[in-house]
């Protein structure tokens, strides 16, 4: 079931990137794909009935959830937020320069300038 959600989210993101001319909407679509990939990686490490890998005398060793995918996704989330912030800053500068974030309008404005 979770894999269907991941594929649907990736499809929505790809559709948004291909169909939208607005750069901000393309950035949001890219973020949707990033989220789908993170969900996929976390689902790979999921163990039905598993417990957090905290060692103690009470917890059995064989029933731990693999913490590596969760750590990787946590790192990916931090990198994704940083990338989103930088891309948003670039979009603000593009909007200040061309008074638009539409790719075709920017392309037309660049042709007029050149």
């Amino acid at each position: 079931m979770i894999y269907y959600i991941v594929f649907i989210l990736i499809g929505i993101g790809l559709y948004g990137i291909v169909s939208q001319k607005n750069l901000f909407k393309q950035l949001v679509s890219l973020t949707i794909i990033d989220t789908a990939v993170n969900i996929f990686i976390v689902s790979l490490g999921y163990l039905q009935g598993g417990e957090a890998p905290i060692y103690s005398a009470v917890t059995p060793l064989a029933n731990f959830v693999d913490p590596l995918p969760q750590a990787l996704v946590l790192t990916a989330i931090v990198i994704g937020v940083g990338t989103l912030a930088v891309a948003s800053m670039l979009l603000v500068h593009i909007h200040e320069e061309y008074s638009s974030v539409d790719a075709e309008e920017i392309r037309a404005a660049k042709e007029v300038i050149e």
Side-chain angles (χ1 to χ4, degrees):
M1 177 67 182
I2 195 74
Y3 299 118
Y4 293 123
I5 294 171
V6 168
F7 288 127
I8 289 171
L9 286 175
I10 289 175
I12 290 170
L14 287 176
Y15 177 76
I17 289 174
V18 171
S19 67
Q20 297 296 321
K21 304 292 185 209
N22 189 322
L23 296 176
F24 182 74
K25 291 179 181 178
Q26 289 182 349
L27 182 63
V28 170
S29 299
L30 193 63
T31 303
I32 291 172
I33 293 174
D34 182 43
T35 303
V37 170
N38 288 339
I39 291 171
F40 177 71
I41 293 173
V42 167
S43 69
L44 291 178
Y46 178 73
L47 178 65
Q48 184 76 26
E51 296 180 13
I54 301 171
Y55 295 106
S56 72
V58 180
T59 57
L61 294 178
N63 201 21
F64 285 159
V65 175
D66 186 12
L68 183 61
Q70 297 172 7
L72 289 174
V73 167
L74 184 61
T75 304
I77 289 171
V78 171
I79 292 170
V81 169
T83 304
L84 182 65
V86 170
S88 298
M89 179 201 60
L90 290 174
L91 283 178
V92 167
H93 284 287
I94 288 172
H95 187 266
E96 288 175 355
E97 181 74 22
Y98 297 103
S99 300
S100 176
V101 289
D102 188 282
E104 291 183 357
E105 291 180 11
I106 293 170
R107 190 172 297 124
K110 286 179 73 176
E111 289 176 1
V112 169
I113 293 173
E114 293 174 349

